[in-house]
Amino acid sequence: MNVLVTGAAGYIGSHTLIALLEAGHRVVALDNLINSSAESIKRVEHITAATIPFYQADVRDTPQVREILNSHAIDAVVHFAGLKAVGESVEQPTAYYSANVYGSLSLVEAMHAEGVKTIVFSSSATVYGEDAPVPYHESMPRGRTSNPYGTSKAMVEKMLEDIQHAHPDWSVSLLRYFNPIGAHPSGLIGEDPQGKPNNLMPFIAQVAVGRLQQLSIFGNDYDTQDGTCERDYLHVVDLAEGHSKALINAAKPGVHIYNLGTGEGTSVLDMVSTFEHVNGVAIPYQFAPRRAGDLAAFWADATKAEQELGWRTQCSLEDMMRDTWRWQKGFPNGYRTPMEGLKTTE
Ligand code: NAD
Ligand code: WQD
């Protein structure tokens, strides 16, 4: 298929380009580069030896998206483009509703106008809300979200359901990611947060490489095995593969919802000790007060994706730690650390 990937220069998008190319699809990349650099796409080209048409464009520019869909005879869209920082969404809700909700609406309008009827959307476990029992299952209703980021994901899910209802020949896949971490095993692409990381894995990696002094563990008095929060961390390469697998739904009109996770929770302390053990690097840490809005523990019931898509995670926590470290050690400043031997277009 000809697949448009929005947000393609970002962390998950760049890994998904590789999975889609490996599955034999042709990909077109779109990103406004607000949270990424086109360097990631060049490196994907280096890894795959493919040439990837790239458009620096905003999903809210409906005419330009139409032009791209039309000129590349796009069959399906994998939609990552959006903003993702929970705390920032509380400070700047309009930016989040604009990029995530209006951006998705604009994209869908362009698809409708050009007759493209398959979309795979990056949703999040956060749509289960604050009160859902674990493990989360797709049959549970969306819950009460606690920040504009989460609300924007729930709103787009609902919007896509309504659009599919009105256009029964559309295929909508809503992929609810748990906590993606890790990097491509080549060590050439990975997560490259701007400024101080909000998330645990990049924070640990930046402590390991000396960019940050020590990790603060937010809370050690939760009702969990060791008192720290538990999450379902999955390798970004497994997650990317889930998008390729979800494209089999292109032939099945309807709304298809899948959790993408391992089905297991891991505590913050276990994350630290596994990283240390696998990579032989010490991670100094201190306990700090709980972070507002954190839930004690959640993980996926991941059986539906396995039954319907034949998808399940392949990588272990050790793989995630090893691959994160290979990327961080090789490129301490992410994409700002130059890569030798990379062909530049200039
Ligand atoms: P990312 O920030 O690395 O990638 C998102 C990309 O979208 C960036 O390259 C950014 O420049 C681009 N973008 C933002 N607004 C845009 C716009 N208006 N037009 C075009 N491009 C735009 O984030 P990621 O971790 O790769 O996440 C990808 C998607 O997955 C996001 O929608 C995110 O909400 C969702 N998601 C991420 C996680 C996670 O933990 N990383 C978990 C659940 C869901
Ligand atoms: C994991 C655990 C922290 C940093 C967030 C979003 C969610 C999703 C993924 C998109 C928690 C602890 C963290 C630190 C710490 N994104 N931690 N010290 O909160 O599960 O999910 O990212 O949809 O919507 O909310 O992930 O990596 O931020 O935190 O102790 O410096 O690590 O308290 O228990 P989270 P995270």
Side-chain angles (χ1 to χ4, degrees):
M1 279 195 275
N2 295 332
V3 184
L4 174 66
V5 180
T6 76
Y11 173 46
I12 307 170
S14 54
H15 288 81
T16 301
L17 290 173
I18 297 177
L20 294 173
L21 287 164
E22 283 175 350
H25 298 293
R26 286 164 300 277
V27 296
V28 175
L30 178 154
D31 201 299
N32 70 357
L33 303 182
I34 195 169
N35 195 38
S36 54
S37 114
E39 172 81 9
S40 61
I41 310 248
K42 287 189 205 150
R43 293 192 187 189
V44 170
E45 290 184 319
H46 178 89
I47 293 165
T48 60
T51 302
I52 300 173
F54 171 63
Y55 294 88
Q56 183 172 351
D58 197 297
V59 278
R60 290 165 290 194
D61 184 346
T62 320
Q64 191 175 4
V65 177
R66 278 191 67 172
E67 168 61 26
I68 296 167
L69 293 172
N70 180 284
S71 61
H72 291 276
I74 294 296
D75 303 299
V77 178
V78 180
H79 177 38
F80 295 103
L83 302 177
K84 65 162 180 178
V86 171
E88 187 183 67
S89 80
V90 177
E91 309 295 322
Q92 302 172 34
T94 49
Y96 276 70
Y97 290 117
S98 176
N100 296 4
V101 181
Y102 177 58
S104 298
L105 178 62
S106 161
L107 173 65
V108 164
E109 281 176 337
M111 289 172 62
H112 184 55
E114 298 301 330
V116 181
K117 296 170 182 172
T118 298
I119 183 166
V120 176
F121 173 61
S122 292
S123 190
S124 167
T126 194
V127 301
Y128 289 103
E130 299 178 312
D131 310 310
V134 290
Y136 296 164
H137 190 272
E138 295 87 342
S139 59
M140 294 174 178
R142 283 183 287 269
R144 194 162 46 92
T145 47
S146 58
N147 56 75
Y149 169 75
T151 307
S152 75
K153 289 291 173 191
M155 287 170 75
V156 175
E157 282 201 356
K158 180 68 183 135
M159 180 175 87
L160 291 173
E161 287 173 355
D162 290 347
I163 288 165
Q164 200 285 328
H165 184 73
H167 305 289
D169 54 345
W170 275 50
S171 168
V172 170
S173 296
L174 307 176
L175 305 186
R176 295 176 176 168
Y177 314 157
F178 282 68
N179 290 56
I181 60 168
H184 191 264
S186 64
L188 299 179
I189 61 168
E191 188 170 11
D192 184 21
Q194 315 296 303
K196 203 171 171 186
N198 299 310
N199 300 114
L200 179 64
M201 191 72 254
F203 205 108
I204 291 177
Q206 290 194 15
V207 170
V209 85
R211 277 174 70 176
L212 295 168
Q213 283 207 323
Q214 70 171 349
L215 172 71
S216 291
I217 295 182
F218 302 138
N220 61 345
D221 57 351
Y222 284 98
D223 183 17
T224 57
Q225 272 199 342
D226 63 23
T228 65
C229 293
E230 294 170 3
R231 296 287 182 272
D232 185 341
Y233 298 94
L234 78 161
H235 199 299
V236 66
V237 168
D238 280 330
L239 178 60
E241 183 64 19
H243 295 75
S244 170
K245 290 274 168 69
L247 283 177
I248 64 172
N249 284 332
K252 290 185 210 147
V255 176
H256 311 282
I257 306 181
Y258 302 105
N259 288 338
L260 297 183
T262 64
E264 278 173 36
T266 303
S267 75
V268 178
L269 280 173
D270 280 342
M271 292 289 285
V272 172
S273 63
T274 309
F275 188 95
E276 290 180 322
H277 166 75
V278 168
N279 297 317
V281 187
I283 305 297
Y285 66 82
Q286 62 177 7
F287 290 116
R290 291 180 177 198
R291 184 172 68 176
D294 271 344
L295 299 179
F298 63 86
W299 58 91
D301 178 328
T303 50
K304 188 175 176 218
E306 180 164 9
Q307 284 161 0
E308 293 190 11
L309 302 177
W311 176 90
R312 60 180 295 181
T313 57
Q314 305 293 323
C315 300
S316 66
L317 197 60
E318 284 75 14
D319 296 328
M320 302 181 214
M321 297 303 173
R322 197 175 297 115
D323 291 339
T324 298
W325 184 226
R326 189 183 293 112
W327 154 249
Q328 187 72 69
K329 202 170 45 165
F331 298 94
N333 289 309
Y335 291 112
R336 283 173 294 132
T337 304
M339 176 187 149
E340 266 176 50
L342 184 69
K343 271 190 252 152
T344 54
T345 40
E346 281 78 41

